[in-house]
Amino acid sequence: MAAARKLLPCWAVSMRAVSTAAFPQRVKVVEVGPRDGLQNEKTVVPTPVKIRLIDMLSETGLPVIEATSFVSPRWVPQMADHAEVMQGINKLPGVSYPVLTPNLKGFQAAVAAGAKEVSIFGAASELFTKKNINCSIEESLERFSEVMNAARAASIPVRGYVSCVLGCPYEGKISAAKVAEVSKKMYSMGCYEISLGDTIGIGTPGSMKEMLAAVMKEVPVGALAVHCHDTYGQALANILVALQMGVSVVDASVAGLGGCPYAQGASGNVATEDLVYMLNGLGIHTGVDLQKLMDTGTFICNALNRRTNSKVSQAACRL
Amino acid sequence: MGTVPSALKHCLSDQHLLKEQLWIGEPTAPPHPGQESQASGLPEYVKIVEVGPRDGLQNEKVIVPTDIKIELINRLSKTGLPAIEVTSFVSSKWVPQMADHKEVMRGIERHPGVQYPVLTPNLKGFHSAIAAGATEVSVFGAASESFSKMNINCSIEESIEKFEEVAKSARNMNIPVRGYVSCALGCPYEGDITPAKVAEVSKRLYSMGCYEISLGDTIGVGTPGSMKRMLEAVMKEIPLSALAVHCHDTYGQALANILTAIQMGVAVVDSSVAGLGGCPYAKGATGNVATEDVIYMLNGLGINTGVNLYTVMEAGNFICTALNKKTNSKVAQASFNTGTIK
């Protein structure tokens, strides 16, 4: 089915943007669709489609595209083709292509496949860590330190994620102090950036503000990112508050790929298109071409035979 | 239950967390008097104006039977919502979905402390509304000439003259009038709308006696940037306490825009249960912001609304079942899918 190309109505493109002093002038958008997005989609995507997706994303101006995950295919079959994807993509100069590496073995495989940046995933919840990777937070950090040592030796930057920063599907409330503690540990270990993830999307501008205030006492705001899920429709409002507090790195997923594994049928990642639309309206520079991004979203949704989760994309489809 | 991921089966804590958020609306850091709380600068209370039965149902494809409308409004009356826009006294030739306006007005339960405004585009509609028992009315202006022409076939100035007739009669009868300004952040025909124009039209409506002006982002194109600029201009002409925002979520910006408005002191927000009402200007796209999602956000900010989110979700579930459609509320989708709401 050849879908009609979705075009932003001219009034949406020409809306005068207003720069306000309270916001950062530039925001780095970290695109997690090919990894976090596809990993949480029901349909497993063939390797050539993944490569095409990443290549199209590279053309949009996105500065960072999380390409894949070097996890055992036994646990994450959707990412089984990690080496092929890494070797198959067209790496544009100036664009980073981080990959997930949960342990030393994954790190070594990633580097062998040409990775130049890696990510590690911690959590602010003991129960979540136990259920997810079958160890305690402390034990997970010990595993990561092996990765950190190897990465330092190879001059490979490492990005740290902290999951469940605004709530946990098992523990419920998560204290801001705990998030700050885990973030500080990962930053001290050598992660250049800490991405704070509202894994179940349960946060609101109130809890986001409280959590960031605690974390910012331990980690410089320039090293912080937010990774908001839109499961309760709060993502853009939460991101807005984070921006107001000085955060200037935001994770998002093209077409809002990636449902929430904890609420069947509910949405997960915030859509990159909707984020960029908001940032454009705030006069914040991202370097991203929204129309090309929407075209990429159309491509992957056709390949997945699913509707986009991006409202900007839905609105632009006028018959 | 079929194949449920093992994670989902253990999500009891998620349900408890949600139930806390749904029932109590507890702030994460309760404000203490004299101590700066995370809610500092935000209103303590926000009035939610529920527009689902009118704006919502008017823009749904399916025409809803009168008894279902009445049942919906009665359920909404029990949620704590302080204002519920009931129907529209417009000619059924133009808006067939609201043809049963008299029956609905007469059929609903009227709860003390709850307002039940109705739309009245002209004097004829106003008289009809009063005869049917209405005790509050609304008039709809626009900040765009083209939109005014296409929508009600007259200029902004001509429409204001009609509203002045309504306002005058309403004043004589002590009937409060709410004024809406459409296209406050953009127009489907003209594109950009200047904040000055929005301020000018708002001022006309306020001066004629509207007690509140609801500023509508009719096509949902606004962002926190344009919302801020527009409100700054309008706030020069109209007291903050008389302002409301009516945001559409067509581009996913509604909650961020509402947050911006609240940060600027606006304390009245329009929304629609289950996000009823698509956008007539972008086929298949969403329209009204969902009341459930707004309340969830306000609860998380420690802002009091007086509304029980749980019962709103139940009302939303009722009308979506009747319309045979999925809810547009993400809070409702997530809550039903975690088993928090059966």
Side-chain angles (χ1 to χ4, degrees), chain B residues 277-338:
Chain B
C279 179
Y281 305 99
K283 197 173 155 153
T286 59
N288 285 304
V289 69
T291 304
E292 298 92 319
D293 300 0
V294 172
I295 292 174
Y296 186 92
M297 180 174 79
L298 296 176
N299 284 353
L301 281 163
I303 293 173
N304 182 33
T305 61
V307 182
N308 183 317
L309 175 50
Y310 200 96
T311 52
V312 175
M313 289 205 291
E314 288 184 320
N317 188 37
F318 162 77
I319 191 60
C320 288
T321 305
L323 284 165
N324 194 26
K325 65 166 275 184
K326 266 189 80 176
T327 180
N328 275 336
S329 156
K330 288 211 164 169
V331 170
Q333 277 171 34
S335 305
F336 281 101
N337 287 321
T338 55

Short mmCIF file of all heavy atoms in Angstrom, two decimals, chain B residues 277-338:
data_model
loop_
_atom_site.label_atom_id
_atom_site.label_comp_id
_atom_site.label_asym_id
_atom_site.label_seq_id
_atom_site.Cartn_x
_atom_site.Cartn_y
_atom_site.Cartn_z
N GLY B 277 -14.53 13.89 20.49
CA GLY B 277 -14.57 14.99 19.54
C GLY B 277 -13.30 15.06 18.72
O GLY B 277 -12.28 15.56 19.18
N GLY B 278 -13.35 14.57 17.50
CA GLY B 278 -12.18 14.67 16.63
C GLY B 278 -12.05 16.06 16.06
O GLY B 278 -12.81 16.96 16.41
N CYS B 279 -11.08 16.23 15.22
CA CYS B 279 -10.84 17.54 14.60
C CYS B 279 -11.46 17.55 13.22
O CYS B 279 -11.06 16.75 12.36
CB CYS B 279 -9.34 17.80 14.51
SG CYS B 279 -8.95 19.38 13.73
N PRO B 280 -12.42 18.44 12.98
CA PRO B 280 -13.03 18.45 11.64
C PRO B 280 -12.09 18.94 10.54
O PRO B 280 -12.39 18.81 9.37
CB PRO B 280 -14.22 19.42 11.81
CG PRO B 280 -13.93 20.22 13.03
CD PRO B 280 -13.02 19.41 13.89
N TYR B 281 -10.91 19.48 10.92
CA TYR B 281 -10.00 20.04 9.92
C TYR B 281 -8.83 19.13 9.60
O TYR B 281 -8.00 19.44 8.76
CB TYR B 281 -9.49 21.42 10.39
CG TYR B 281 -10.64 22.34 10.69
CD1 TYR B 281 -11.07 22.54 11.99
CD2 TYR B 281 -11.34 22.96 9.65
CE1 TYR B 281 -12.17 23.34 12.26
CE2 TYR B 281 -12.43 23.76 9.91
CZ TYR B 281 -12.85 23.95 11.22
OH TYR B 281 -13.94 24.73 11.48
N ALA B 282 -8.73 18.01 10.29
CA ALA B 282 -7.65 17.06 10.00
C ALA B 282 -8.23 15.67 10.18
O ALA B 282 -8.26 15.13 11.29
CB ALA B 282 -6.47 17.29 10.94
N LYS B 283 -8.65 15.09 9.07
CA LYS B 283 -9.43 13.85 9.12
C LYS B 283 -8.69 12.77 9.90
O LYS B 283 -7.52 12.48 9.66
CB LYS B 283 -9.67 13.39 7.68
CG LYS B 283 -10.78 12.36 7.58
CD LYS B 283 -11.10 12.05 6.12
CE LYS B 283 -11.72 10.67 6.01
NZ LYS B 283 -12.59 10.53 4.87
N GLY B 284 -9.38 12.17 10.82
CA GLY B 284 -8.80 11.08 11.59
C GLY B 284 -7.95 11.54 12.75
O GLY B 284 -7.52 10.73 13.57
N ALA B 285 -7.70 12.82 12.83
CA ALA B 285 -6.86 13.32 13.92
C ALA B 285 -7.71 13.57 15.16
O ALA B 285 -8.92 13.69 15.09
CB ALA B 285 -6.16 14.61 13.49
N THR B 286 -7.04 13.66 16.29
CA THR B 286 -7.77 13.90 17.53
C THR B 286 -8.10 15.38 17.68
O THR B 286 -7.56 16.23 16.98
CB THR B 286 -6.93 13.49 18.75
OG1 THR B 286 -5.71 14.23 18.73
CG2 THR B 286 -6.61 12.01 18.71
N GLY B 287 -8.99 15.66 18.62
CA GLY B 287 -9.41 17.05 18.84
C GLY B 287 -9.22 17.43 20.29
O GLY B 287 -8.10 17.66 20.75
N ASN B 288 -10.33 17.43 21.03
CA ASN B 288 -10.29 17.84 22.43
C ASN B 288 -9.29 17.04 23.26
O ASN B 288 -9.08 15.86 23.02
CB ASN B 288 -11.67 17.63 23.06
CG ASN B 288 -12.67 18.69 22.61
OD1 ASN B 288 -12.43 19.88 22.77
ND2 ASN B 288 -13.78 18.25 22.05
N VAL B 289 -8.72 17.72 24.24
CA VAL B 289 -7.84 17.02 25.19
C VAL B 289 -8.73 16.23 26.15
O VAL B 289 -9.86 16.64 26.47
CB VAL B 289 -6.95 18.04 25.95
CG1 VAL B 289 -7.76 18.90 26.90
CG2 VAL B 289 -5.84 17.33 26.70
N ALA B 290 -8.24 15.09 26.59
CA ALA B 290 -9.05 14.23 27.46
C ALA B 290 -9.04 14.73 28.90
O ALA B 290 -7.97 14.99 29.48
CB ALA B 290 -8.52 12.80 27.40
N THR B 291 -10.23 14.83 29.48
CA THR B 291 -10.37 15.28 30.87
C THR B 291 -9.54 14.43 31.81
O THR B 291 -8.89 14.95 32.72
CB THR B 291 -11.85 15.23 31.29
OG1 THR B 291 -12.63 16.02 30.37
CG2 THR B 291 -12.06 15.76 32.70
N GLU B 292 -9.54 13.12 31.57
CA GLU B 292 -8.79 12.22 32.45
C GLU B 292 -7.31 12.58 32.48
O GLU B 292 -6.67 12.58 33.53
CB GLU B 292 -8.93 10.76 31.97
CG GLU B 292 -10.34 10.20 31.99
CD GLU B 292 -11.08 10.38 30.67
OE1 GLU B 292 -10.97 11.46 30.05
OE2 GLU B 292 -11.77 9.43 30.26
N ASP B 293 -6.75 12.88 31.31
CA ASP B 293 -5.32 13.16 31.22
C ASP B 293 -4.99 14.50 31.87
O ASP B 293 -3.93 14.66 32.49
CB ASP B 293 -4.86 13.16 29.75
CG ASP B 293 -5.10 11.82 29.06
OD1 ASP B 293 -5.62 10.88 29.73
OD2 ASP B 293 -4.78 11.68 27.87
N VAL B 294 -5.90 15.46 31.74
CA VAL B 294 -5.71 16.77 32.38
C VAL B 294 -5.72 16.62 33.91
O VAL B 294 -4.85 17.13 34.61
CB VAL B 294 -6.81 17.77 31.96
CG1 VAL B 294 -6.73 19.06 32.77
CG2 VAL B 294 -6.71 18.09 30.48
N ILE B 295 -6.71 15.89 34.40
CA ILE B 295 -6.83 15.73 35.85
C ILE B 295 -5.64 14.97 36.41
O ILE B 295 -5.11 15.31 37.47
CB ILE B 295 -8.15 15.03 36.20
CG1 ILE B 295 -9.31 15.98 35.87
CG2 ILE B 295 -8.19 14.64 37.67
CD1 ILE B 295 -10.66 15.35 36.05
N TYR B 296 -5.19 13.97 35.69
CA TYR B 296 -4.00 13.21 36.11
C TYR B 296 -2.83 14.16 36.29
O TYR B 296 -2.10 14.10 37.29
CB TYR B 296 -3.69 12.14 35.07
CG TYR B 296 -2.58 11.20 35.46
CD1 TYR B 296 -2.86 10.01 36.13
CD2 TYR B 296 -1.25 11.49 35.16
CE1 TYR B 296 -1.85 9.14 36.49
CE2 TYR B 296 -0.24 10.63 35.53
CZ TYR B 296 -0.54 9.46 36.19
OH TYR B 296 0.47 8.60 36.54
N MET B 297 -2.64 15.05 35.33
CA MET B 297 -1.53 16.00 35.42
C MET B 297 -1.73 16.96 36.60
O MET B 297 -0.79 17.20 37.38
CB MET B 297 -1.40 16.81 34.13
CG MET B 297 -0.25 17.82 34.18
SD MET B 297 0.06 18.70 32.64
CE MET B 297 -1.21 19.95 32.65
N LEU B 298 -2.92 17.48 36.74
CA LEU B 298 -3.17 18.44 37.83
C LEU B 298 -3.02 17.77 39.19
O LEU B 298 -2.46 18.35 40.11
CB LEU B 298 -4.57 19.05 37.68
CG LEU B 298 -4.79 19.89 36.41
CD1 LEU B 298 -6.23 20.37 36.32
CD2 LEU B 298 -3.84 21.08 36.37
N ASN B 299 -3.49 16.54 39.31
CA ASN B 299 -3.28 15.79 40.55
C ASN B 299 -1.80 15.69 40.87
O ASN B 299 -1.37 15.92 42.00
CB ASN B 299 -3.85 14.36 40.43
CG ASN B 299 -5.36 14.31 40.52
OD1 ASN B 299 -6.00 15.32 40.80
ND2 ASN B 299 -5.93 13.14 40.29
N GLY B 300 -1.02 15.36 39.86
CA GLY B 300 0.42 15.20 40.07
C GLY B 300 1.11 16.52 40.44
O GLY B 300 2.19 16.52 41.02
N LEU B 301 0.48 17.63 40.11
CA LEU B 301 1.03 18.95 40.45
C LEU B 301 0.52 19.42 41.80
O LEU B 301 0.88 20.52 42.23
CB LEU B 301 0.64 19.97 39.37
CG LEU B 301 1.46 19.92 38.09
CD1 LEU B 301 0.74 20.66 36.97
CD2 LEU B 301 2.84 20.51 38.31
N GLY B 302 -0.32 18.62 42.44
CA GLY B 302 -0.86 19.03 43.73
C GLY B 302 -1.93 20.09 43.61
O GLY B 302 -2.23 20.79 44.57
N ILE B 303 -2.52 20.21 42.43
CA ILE B 303 -3.57 21.22 42.22
C ILE B 303 -4.92 20.57 42.44
O ILE B 303 -5.22 19.50 41.88
CB ILE B 303 -3.47 21.80 40.80
CG1 ILE B 303 -2.18 22.60 40.64
CG2 ILE B 303 -4.69 22.66 40.47
CD1 ILE B 303 -1.90 23.08 39.23
N ASN B 304 -5.75 21.21 43.23
CA ASN B 304 -7.07 20.67 43.53
C ASN B 304 -8.05 20.96 42.40
O ASN B 304 -8.06 22.07 41.84
CB ASN B 304 -7.57 21.32 44.83
CG ASN B 304 -8.92 20.78 45.25
OD1 ASN B 304 -9.22 19.61 45.01
ND2 ASN B 304 -9.75 21.62 45.83
N THR B 305 -8.85 19.94 42.04
CA THR B 305 -9.88 20.17 41.02
C THR B 305 -11.26 19.81 41.56
O THR B 305 -12.27 20.17 40.96
CB THR B 305 -9.64 19.28 39.79
OG1 THR B 305 -9.70 17.91 40.19
CG2 THR B 305 -8.30 19.56 39.15
N GLY B 306 -11.28 19.06 42.66
CA GLY B 306 -12.55 18.59 43.20
C GLY B 306 -13.12 17.42 42.44
O GLY B 306 -14.23 16.95 42.72
N VAL B 307 -12.37 16.92 41.45
CA VAL B 307 -12.90 15.88 40.57
C VAL B 307 -12.28 14.52 40.92
O VAL B 307 -11.08 14.41 41.12
CB VAL B 307 -12.60 16.20 39.09
CG1 VAL B 307 -13.19 15.14 38.17
CG2 VAL B 307 -13.13 17.58 38.74
N ASN B 308 -13.11 13.50 40.96
CA ASN B 308 -12.66 12.13 41.18
C ASN B 308 -12.33 11.50 39.83
O ASN B 308 -13.22 11.21 39.03
CB ASN B 308 -13.76 11.35 41.88
CG ASN B 308 -13.34 9.93 42.21
OD1 ASN B 308 -12.72 9.25 41.39
ND2 ASN B 308 -13.66 9.48 43.41
N LEU B 309 -11.05 11.31 39.60
CA LEU B 309 -10.59 10.82 38.30
C LEU B 309 -11.17 9.46 37.96
O LEU B 309 -11.51 9.16 36.82
CB LEU B 309 -9.06 10.78 38.31
CG LEU B 309 -8.34 10.19 37.09
CD1 LEU B 309 -8.84 10.78 35.79
CD2 LEU B 309 -6.84 10.41 37.23
N TYR B 310 -11.27 8.63 38.96
CA TYR B 310 -11.77 7.27 38.78
C TYR B 310 -13.17 7.30 38.16
O TYR B 310 -13.47 6.59 37.20
CB TYR B 310 -11.81 6.60 40.15
CG TYR B 310 -11.84 5.10 40.12
CD1 TYR B 310 -10.68 4.36 40.26
CD2 TYR B 310 -13.04 4.41 39.99
CE1 TYR B 310 -10.70 2.98 40.26
CE2 TYR B 310 -13.07 3.03 39.99
CZ TYR B 310 -11.91 2.32 40.13
OH TYR B 310 -11.94 0.95 40.13
N THR B 311 -14.05 8.15 38.71
CA THR B 311 -15.43 8.19 38.21
C THR B 311 -15.50 8.83 36.82
O THR B 311 -16.36 8.48 36.01
CB THR B 311 -16.37 8.93 39.18
OG1 THR B 311 -15.81 10.21 39.49
CG2 THR B 311 -16.52 8.14 40.46
N VAL B 312 -14.57 9.75 36.52
CA VAL B 312 -14.53 10.30 35.17
C VAL B 312 -14.17 9.20 34.19
O VAL B 312 -14.75 9.09 33.10
CB VAL B 312 -13.52 11.47 35.06
CG1 VAL B 312 -13.41 11.95 33.61
CG2 VAL B 312 -13.94 12.63 35.95
N MET B 313 -13.21 8.37 34.56
CA MET B 313 -12.82 7.27 33.68
C MET B 313 -13.98 6.32 33.45
O MET B 313 -14.15 5.78 32.35
CB MET B 313 -11.62 6.51 34.25
CG MET B 313 -10.33 7.31 34.17
SD MET B 313 -8.86 6.28 34.15
CE MET B 313 -8.92 5.68 35.81
N GLU B 314 -14.77 6.11 34.48
CA GLU B 314 -15.93 5.23 34.32
C GLU B 314 -16.95 5.85 33.37
O GLU B 314 -17.54 5.16 32.54
CB GLU B 314 -16.56 4.93 35.69
CG GLU B 314 -15.68 4.01 36.51
CD GLU B 314 -16.31 3.62 37.83
OE1 GLU B 314 -16.93 4.48 38.47
OE2 GLU B 314 -16.16 2.44 38.21
N ALA B 315 -17.15 7.16 33.50
CA ALA B 315 -18.07 7.85 32.57
C ALA B 315 -17.53 7.76 31.15
O ALA B 315 -18.27 7.56 30.19
CB ALA B 315 -18.24 9.32 32.99
N GLY B 316 -16.21 7.90 31.03
CA GLY B 316 -15.57 7.78 29.72
C GLY B 316 -15.75 6.41 29.13
O GLY B 316 -16.03 6.24 27.94
N ASN B 317 -15.62 5.40 29.98
CA ASN B 317 -15.80 4.03 29.53
C ASN B 317 -17.23 3.81 29.05
O ASN B 317 -17.47 3.16 28.03
CB ASN B 317 -15.47 3.08 30.69
CG ASN B 317 -15.46 1.64 30.25
OD1 ASN B 317 -15.01 1.33 29.14
ND2 ASN B 317 -15.95 0.74 31.07
N PHE B 318 -18.17 4.41 29.78
CA PHE B 318 -19.58 4.29 29.41
C PHE B 318 -19.83 4.85 28.01
O PHE B 318 -20.41 4.21 27.15
CB PHE B 318 -20.46 5.03 30.44
CG PHE B 318 -21.85 5.32 29.93
CD1 PHE B 318 -22.81 4.32 29.88
CD2 PHE B 318 -22.18 6.59 29.45
CE1 PHE B 318 -24.09 4.59 29.38
CE2 PHE B 318 -23.45 6.86 28.95
CZ PHE B 318 -24.40 5.86 28.91
N ILE B 319 -19.37 6.08 27.76
CA ILE B 319 -19.69 6.71 26.48
C ILE B 319 -18.91 6.06 25.33
O ILE B 319 -19.42 5.95 24.21
CB ILE B 319 -19.47 8.25 26.52
CG1 ILE B 319 -20.05 8.94 25.28
CG2 ILE B 319 -18.02 8.62 26.70
CD1 ILE B 319 -21.56 8.74 25.10
N CYS B 320 -17.70 5.59 25.60
CA CYS B 320 -16.95 4.92 24.53
C CYS B 320 -17.60 3.60 24.15
O CYS B 320 -17.62 3.23 22.98
CB CYS B 320 -15.49 4.71 24.94
SG CYS B 320 -14.57 6.26 24.95
N THR B 321 -18.13 2.92 25.14
CA THR B 321 -18.85 1.67 24.86
C THR B 321 -20.07 1.99 24.00
O THR B 321 -20.35 1.31 23.01
CB THR B 321 -19.27 0.99 26.17
OG1 THR B 321 -18.11 0.82 26.97
CG2 THR B 321 -19.93 -0.36 25.90
N ALA B 322 -20.79 3.05 24.38
CA ALA B 322 -21.98 3.44 23.63
C ALA B 322 -21.63 3.86 22.20
O ALA B 322 -22.38 3.60 21.26
CB ALA B 322 -22.70 4.58 24.35
N LEU B 323 -20.48 4.51 22.04
CA LEU B 323 -20.06 4.97 20.71
C LEU B 323 -19.29 3.89 19.96
O LEU B 323 -18.92 4.09 18.81
CB LEU B 323 -19.14 6.20 20.86
CG LEU B 323 -19.81 7.54 21.18
CD1 LEU B 323 -18.77 8.55 21.64
CD2 LEU B 323 -20.54 8.09 19.97
N ASN B 324 -19.04 2.79 20.64
CA ASN B 324 -18.24 1.70 20.06
C ASN B 324 -16.89 2.21 19.55
O ASN B 324 -16.50 1.97 18.41
CB ASN B 324 -19.03 1.02 18.93
CG ASN B 324 -18.40 -0.31 18.54
OD1 ASN B 324 -17.73 -0.95 19.36
ND2 ASN B 324 -18.58 -0.71 17.29
N LYS B 325 -16.21 2.96 20.39
CA LYS B 325 -14.91 3.47 19.99
C LYS B 325 -13.92 3.39 21.15
O LYS B 325 -14.31 3.25 22.30
CB LYS B 325 -15.03 4.92 19.51
CG LYS B 325 -15.46 5.92 20.56
CD LYS B 325 -15.23 7.34 20.10
CE LYS B 325 -13.79 7.76 20.41
NZ LYS B 325 -13.52 9.17 20.07
N LYS B 326 -12.65 3.46 20.79
CA LYS B 326 -11.61 3.47 21.82
C LYS B 326 -11.53 4.85 22.43
O LYS B 326 -11.72 5.85 21.74
CB LYS B 326 -10.25 3.17 21.17
CG LYS B 326 -9.83 1.72 21.20
CD LYS B 326 -8.38 1.59 20.73
CE LYS B 326 -7.40 1.93 21.85
NZ LYS B 326 -6.00 1.72 21.47
N THR B 327 -11.19 4.88 23.70
CA THR B 327 -11.00 6.18 24.34
C THR B 327 -9.78 6.88 23.75
O THR B 327 -8.83 6.25 23.30
CB THR B 327 -10.80 6.01 25.85
OG1 THR B 327 -10.61 7.30 26.45
CG2 THR B 327 -9.59 5.15 26.17
N ASN B 328 -9.81 8.21 23.76
CA ASN B 328 -8.63 8.98 23.38
C ASN B 328 -7.80 9.36 24.60
O ASN B 328 -6.77 10.03 24.48
CB ASN B 328 -9.03 10.28 22.65
CG ASN B 328 -9.26 10.06 21.18
OD1 ASN B 328 -8.72 9.13 20.59
ND2 ASN B 328 -10.07 10.90 20.57
N SER B 329 -8.25 8.94 25.78
CA SER B 329 -7.51 9.27 26.99
C SER B 329 -6.41 8.24 27.22
O SER B 329 -6.69 7.04 27.32
CB SER B 329 -8.43 9.29 28.20
OG SER B 329 -7.69 9.07 29.39
N LYS B 330 -5.17 8.70 27.34
CA LYS B 330 -4.07 7.77 27.58
C LYS B 330 -4.13 7.21 29.00
O LYS B 330 -3.80 6.06 29.26
CB LYS B 330 -2.73 8.45 27.32
CG LYS B 330 -2.51 8.70 25.82
CD LYS B 330 -1.06 8.65 25.43
CE LYS B 330 -0.92 8.51 23.92
NZ LYS B 330 0.46 8.72 23.45
N VAL B 331 -4.58 8.05 29.93
CA VAL B 331 -4.71 7.58 31.31
C VAL B 331 -5.73 6.44 31.36
O VAL B 331 -5.48 5.41 31.99
CB VAL B 331 -5.15 8.72 32.25
CG1 VAL B 331 -5.52 8.18 33.63
CG2 VAL B 331 -4.04 9.75 32.37
N ALA B 332 -6.82 6.59 30.68
CA ALA B 332 -7.85 5.54 30.67
C ALA B 332 -7.32 4.29 29.99
O ALA B 332 -7.50 3.18 30.48
CB ALA B 332 -9.11 6.03 29.97
N GLN B 333 -6.62 4.46 28.87
CA GLN B 333 -6.06 3.29 28.15
C GLN B 333 -5.11 2.53 29.06
O GLN B 333 -5.17 1.33 29.16
CB GLN B 333 -5.25 3.75 26.94
CG GLN B 333 -6.02 4.03 25.68
CD GLN B 333 -5.15 4.68 24.63
OE1 GLN B 333 -3.94 4.39 24.53
NE2 GLN B 333 -5.72 5.56 23.84
N ALA B 334 -4.22 3.27 29.72
CA ALA B 334 -3.21 2.63 30.57
C ALA B 334 -3.87 1.99 31.77
O ALA B 334 -3.49 0.90 32.20
CB ALA B 334 -2.16 3.64 31.00
N SER B 335 -4.86 2.64 32.34
CA SER B 335 -5.51 2.13 33.55
C SER B 335 -6.30 0.88 33.26
O SER B 335 -6.27 -0.07 34.02
CB SER B 335 -6.41 3.19 34.16
OG SER B 335 -5.68 4.36 34.39
N PHE B 336 -6.98 0.85 32.14
CA PHE B 336 -7.73 -0.34 31.78
C PHE B 336 -6.78 -1.47 31.46
O PHE B 336 -7.05 -2.63 31.77
CB PHE B 336 -8.67 -0.07 30.61
CG PHE B 336 -9.93 0.64 31.02
CD1 PHE B 336 -10.08 2.00 30.82
CD2 PHE B 336 -10.95 -0.05 31.65
CE1 PHE B 336 -11.23 2.66 31.21
CE2 PHE B 336 -12.10 0.61 32.06
CZ PHE B 336 -12.25 1.96 31.84
N ASN B 337 -5.65 -1.15 30.86
CA ASN B 337 -4.74 -2.20 30.43
C ASN B 337 -3.90 -2.77 31.55
O ASN B 337 -3.35 -3.85 31.43
CB ASN B 337 -3.84 -1.69 29.31
CG ASN B 337 -4.61 -1.55 28.02
OD1 ASN B 337 -5.44 -2.39 27.71
ND2 ASN B 337 -4.37 -0.49 27.28
N THR B 338 -3.78 -2.04 32.68
CA THR B 338 -3.06 -2.63 33.80
C THR B 338 -4.03 -3.33 34.74
O THR B 338 -3.63 -3.85 35.76
CB THR B 338 -2.30 -1.58 34.62
OG1 THR B 338 -3.21 -0.57 35.04
CG2 THR B 338 -1.17 -0.95 33.81
#
